[in-house]
């Protein structure tokens, strides 16, 4: 992508409404724009990151055997009357009347709708286990939306729903998602700690929040330090291996970790003082096993091997992509801007032409652009006539992992400079060597 | 994907609420489920097709220089008061009050919001041309939603918005989208005819609808038969070539084509009788140039090369992916089910194991599944214990382009059968030859 043909509205000033660094950087880099309170557009730079986050989430959901569908945003109130949540859900639910005066709502979550889908089609235990997910907009009318897309009203959620014949099978399904989440956050460059959590309005009796540590987090969390070094389940994980996933789950729940709601002072005090971690955290995922709460209320049962009807045992599993993007920034930035993990960077490489219009600089930049494009890199080529200092600042601000700096002096000797955004390390190389180095490290 | 692990709720009976073939087939194949009147879930089979349609739309928008972002579904009424459309828009607009009693709406289209984004950031003609698009849900509260996702209330739309300094530049932007649309529909396996159209509530004075011919179409259309043979602009089209795109546009608008609203009896009568085409059509795209209608009302101007402020000249360009899927089915099916064009098929190949549990059939099926998976094919492997007849019927119904039939008799001699869904042609081949043939033809 040539910057002259992209839409990257960088703000020169720090927006004063931004209270936390991710919100400030997302506004400054032109990733998002607030359209109404707690309602955002994702501008092209932000959209690219969001797409990469969604792609990783999808890959890990699919690997764990979940199947993607797409439910609508608007739901009928009648569905929620069946589960009893229509009246129970507070003002966070956006209630709507359509032109026929029917009660509708903008879905804050989809347990009811997926249960309706399940009961309409699935009749036998032979069709289980089943896990269906979608990545879809939700709306929760928070009194005080804040921190940009970290806590917005309209937001994207990946929500998966598992159905099993009994508790034992359902707990295996729960551990599949538990394992998939560990892999997902790791691939996003985050170290997330699963913590026993309160189940809240979803209900049920087994639940974990996945929390990343950040000073700006909304939750207080308490855990053992060992989490930082636990191994992440490998790409070859067999999700059908009941004992294998049990071992992953046991390991990751073997030491103390809790949010303030579930905190047990005595258990925490029992940890050697040097191993205690007390910090603030951001919730980036939440999983629930809630048994037959919805299936019993809504008549979602299947015939078991015993010939009798059994209410399906269900779980639900949420990740918020529009919250993950700022969470990644909170975890990875410096005073000059964002430092994207490679896996979600909006571009792989920035090519900075220090003197656009100069024949040698243009030729070298075009050569790099063509060769790296052919090698499959996503590039942002700064071909504008801004001054070099502004280009450097923009490249650091938007945090693309590798920069190639094409300046008149080095180009005269056939060389360019590669800068690593994270370490700041710079290296001067011939153009061909620069191409080879980037290809080799990708 | 193993069918035993997929969610494919095939209906045995023809659903009686379906009035047209695409609606019937989408329900029967478990592609969609109605959740409320005119509001649908896309079940896994449907979601796969929708994703492929969206991918082609994106590729062609990007090729033409449009840049993707993502605007939210909910909008502030104040924005629509600026353009004057809040009161003008009828009951199709879903009006909502949030918990703070603010007037909101579920966007039926995004001219106002994109104009707000534009005016916030773009100040100079040097940043033009600019074309921003998104693929996002819209809601139009139709009195009589019908035909499944062909005319639903919540639907997906790709809407692009172009901004230029003057009419001449804006018309080139219009022709870029005109050309991109020809390529898009062609890649989707459709022959769409651009027809001069009424601009309706969007406004403006230059507009084309893209119509595909289908007996179940809602519009009556009149055109010259030559359209059927016009060349589609190539993948190498240079979208900066003003004269080149003008030539494409001139060619495709050189002979008569109009919907009933714009129909000119005399002009149609002037076509030699054998060349007249009078048929029903489905609108699958609509493009508009509307000049400064929104930019003037909303103060979206840029500084021109003359140092003065100029209201941006705008166009908007819509395609409905959730309508395209049934449109493709209307254009491509037979009495046994859907016949997907390769480009949007939910899977490339169906592997039909006629006798799951039979050692030789299982081994041959697994070999095919592994080898074709490695070659990058998307497969649906029917490993269920249904009887062979039901498996054949399902494979035909869901319309995957190639079927590989693995039966005990042929496998005994090391062979399988390949069936082409479209032509019905069958061929018996060794397993390796079958793999090679599919790889060669992909």
């Amino acid at each position: 992508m040539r910057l002259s043909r992209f839409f990257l509205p960088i703000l020169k000033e720090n927006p004063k409404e931004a209270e936390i660094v991710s919100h400030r950087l997302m506004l400054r880099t032109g990733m998002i724009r607030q359209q109404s309170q707690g309602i955002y557009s994702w501008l092209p730079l932000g959209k690219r990151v969001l797409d990469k986050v969604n792609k990783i989430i999808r890959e890990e959901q699919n690997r764990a055997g979940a199947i993607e569908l797409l439910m609508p945003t608007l739901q009928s109130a009648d569905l929620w009357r069946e589960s009893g949540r229509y009246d129970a859900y507070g003002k966070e639910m956006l209630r709507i009347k359509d032109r026929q005066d029917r009660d509708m709502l903008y879905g804050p979550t989809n347990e009811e709708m997926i249960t309706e889908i399940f009961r309409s089609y699935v009749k036998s235990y032979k069709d289980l286990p089943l896990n269906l997910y979608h990545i879809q907009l939700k709306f929760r009318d928070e009194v005080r939306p804040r921190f940009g897309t970290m806590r917005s009203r309209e937001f994207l959620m990946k929500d998966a729903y598992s159905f099993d014949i009994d508790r034992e099978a359902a707990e295996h399904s729960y551990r599949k998602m538990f394992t998939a989440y560990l892999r997902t956050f790791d691939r996003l460059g985050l170290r997330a700690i699963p913590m026993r959590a309160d189940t809240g309005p979803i209900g049920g009796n087994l639940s974990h929040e996945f929390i990343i540590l950040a000073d700006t987090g909304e939750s207080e969390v308490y855990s053992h330090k060992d989490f930082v070094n636990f191994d992440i389940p490998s790409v070859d994980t067999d999700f059908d291996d009941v004992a294998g996933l049990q071992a992953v789950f046991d390991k990751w729940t073997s030491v103390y970790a809790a949010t303030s709601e579930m905190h047990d002072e005595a258990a925490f005090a029992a940890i050697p003082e040097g191993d205690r971690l007390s910090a603030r955290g951001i919730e980036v995922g939440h999983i629930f096993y809630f048994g037959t709460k919805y299936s019993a209320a809504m008549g979602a049962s299947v015939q078991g091997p015993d010939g009798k009807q059994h209410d399906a045992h269900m779980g639900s599993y949420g990740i918020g992509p529009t919250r993950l993007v700022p969470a990644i920034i909170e975890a990875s930035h410096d005073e000059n801007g964002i430092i994207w993990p490679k896996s979600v960077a909006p571009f792989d490489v920035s090519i900075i032409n220090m003197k656009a219009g100069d024949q040698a600089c243009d030729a070298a930049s075009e050569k790099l652009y063509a060769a790296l494009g052919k090698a499959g890199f996503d590039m942002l080529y700064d071909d504008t006539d801004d001054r070099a200092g502004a280009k450097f600042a923009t490249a650091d601000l938007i945090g693309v992992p590798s920069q190639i700096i094409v300046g008149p002096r080095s180009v005269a000797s056939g060389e360019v400079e590669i800068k690593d955004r994270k370490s700041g390390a710079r290296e001067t190389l011939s153009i061909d060597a620069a191409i080879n180095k980037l290809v080799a490290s990708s």
Side-chain angles (χ1 to χ4, degrees), chain A:
Chain A
M1 178 65 68
R2 288 164 202 273
L3 182 52
S4 62
R5 294 179 167 231
F6 193 54
F7 180 62
L8 185 69
I10 301 286
L11 301 184
K12 294 218 173 60
E13 306 294 326
N14 269 326
K16 54 184 180 304
E17 72 268 34
E19 297 166 59
I20 61 173
V21 65
S22 59
H23 188 192
R24 190 166 73 236
L25 286 170
M26 289 177 78
L27 290 171
R28 277 208 59 197
T29 55
M31 288 181 67
I32 55 170
R33 174 172 183 77
Q34 178 166 295
Q35 301 295 161
S36 307
Q37 197 194 16
I39 301 180
Y40 288 83
S41 285
W42 286 76
L43 302 181
L45 190 75
K47 178 64 166 54
R48 293 178 79 94
V49 177
L50 188 59
D51 285 348
K52 295 206 176 176
V53 168
N54 285 335
K55 182 166 185 282
I56 289 172
I57 292 171
R58 273 196 180 97
E59 285 170 0
E60 295 302 330
Q61 290 292 296
N62 296 345
R63 194 190 308 282
I67 306 166
E68 189 173 7
L69 44 56
L70 183 66
M71 291 177 269
T73 59
L74 294 197
Q75 306 186 20
S76 158
D78 287 339
L79 199 57
W80 287 65
R81 291 192 178 106
E82 286 192 53
S83 71
R85 281 207 293 182
Y86 187 66
D87 294 321
Y89 223 100
K91 284 195 164 182
E92 280 193 14
M93 179 187 277
L94 187 67
R95 292 156 210 260
I96 300 171
K97 278 195 188 287
D98 73 5
R99 71 187 294 172
Q100 318 277 12
D101 219 36
R102 283 173 294 217
D103 289 324
M104 310 286 296
L105 57 97
Y106 199 120
T109 178
N110 284 60
E111 279 81 7
E112 282 79 358
M113 190 175 280
I114 200 77
T115 303
E116 194 278 334
I117 290 172
F118 178 84
R119 76 178 176 197
S120 306
Y121 299 111
V122 183
K123 306 296 177 193
S124 164
Y125 74 96
K126 291 179 190 161
D127 297 323
L128 304 182
L130 182 65
N131 185 325
L132 298 169
Y133 78 97
H134 70 162
I135 299 181
Q136 177 60 295
L137 293 167
K138 309 286 186 291
F139 197 91
R140 291 183 191 166
D141 204 354
E142 309 246 5
V143 188
R144 206 181 143 234
R146 58 191 180 280
F147 304 152
T149 65
M150 186 77 87
R151 185 171 283 277
S152 56
R153 296 198 294 165
E154 182 172 324
F155 61 98
L156 209 52
M157 186 155 92
K158 184 289 296 177
D159 36 329
Y161 302 90
S162 65
F163 298 88
D164 284 279
I165 187 68
D166 58 24
R167 179 173 181 128
E168 193 185 340
E171 288 188 352
H172 177 59
S173 292
Y174 184 89
R175 293 189 291 268
K176 283 186 193 173
M177 287 293 110
F178 185 96
T179 304
Y181 275 33
L182 292 175
R183 285 193 43 79
T184 302
F185 297 125
D186 183 63
R187 289 186 60 195
L188 295 172
L190 297 171
R191 169 71 31 158
I193 301 177
M195 303 196 180
R196 275 302 288 261
D198 197 15
T199 55
I202 303 284
N205 44 24
L206 175 60
S207 176
H208 285 86
E209 284 179 358
F210 289 78
I211 305 264
I212 60 160
L213 307 180
D215 293 341
T216 50
E218 291 189 273
S219 329
E220 266 188 278
V221 297
Y222 306 87
S223 85
H224 195 289
K225 275 195 172 155
D226 276 2
F227 275 112
V228 180
N229 301 313
F230 281 176
D231 286 340
I232 298 295
S234 86
V235 67
D236 302 320
T237 300
D238 175 1
F239 284 86
D240 293 330
D241 177 0
V242 173
L245 295 197
Q246 181 75 57
V248 169
F249 182 80
D250 289 347
K251 173 78 181 170
W252 280 84
T253 54
S254 61
V255 292
Y256 188 81
T259 59
S260 53
E261 294 88 19
M262 303 288 279
H263 187 44
D264 175 344
E265 284 288 353
F268 191 59
I271 302 172
E273 199 174 344
D275 291 341
R276 286 181 216 156
L277 195 64
S278 163
R280 301 200 68 83
I282 300 170
E283 181 200 324
V284 289
H286 202 159
I287 63 178
F288 302 88
Y289 163 68
F290 44 72
T292 60
K293 174 176 168 170
Y294 298 91
S295 55
M298 296 180 64
S301 66
V302 295
Q303 192 172 52
D306 56 4
K308 293 184 188 148
Q309 289 299 115
H310 298 259
D311 292 331
H313 283 246
M314 295 174 56
S316 71
Y317 314 92
I319 286 184
T322 45
R323 158 175 283 209
L324 271 169
V325 175
I328 293 166
I329 296 173
E330 291 292 332
S332 186
H333 65 271
D334 65 13
E335 66 284 5
N336 296 322
I338 303 168
I339 301 171
W340 290 114
K342 276 190 181 180
S343 60
V344 297
F347 298 97
D348 305 313
V349 178
S350 284
I351 299 174
I352 302 171
N353 184 343
M354 284 175 65
K355 201 172 173 185
D358 174 273
Q359 215 173 358
C361 285
D362 289 355
S365 299
E366 293 290 345
K367 181 177 173 182
L368 286 158
Y369 189 63
L372 292 171
K374 218 170 172 179
F377 284 84
D378 248 351
M379 284 163 297
L380 184 66
Y381 166 26
D382 191 342
D383 60 342
T384 64
D385 51 14
D386 285 347
R387 59 190 178 76
K391 292 187 178 191
F392 295 146
T394 294
D396 278 355
L397 185 67
I398 67 172
V400 171
S402 299
Q403 302 172 8
I404 308 182
I405 299 159
V406 181
R409 222 174 305 171
S410 56
V411 160
S413 52
E415 291 179 325
V416 294
E417 196 175 28
I418 297 187
K419 177 181 161 187
D420 181 80
R421 172 66 181 91
K422 188 171 183 181
S423 68
R426 293 156 174 275
E427 192 177 359
T428 299
L429 291 167
S430 74
I431 295 175
D432 288 334
I435 293 167
N436 291 340
K437 187 185 164 84
L438 285 165
V439 170
S441 72
S442 75

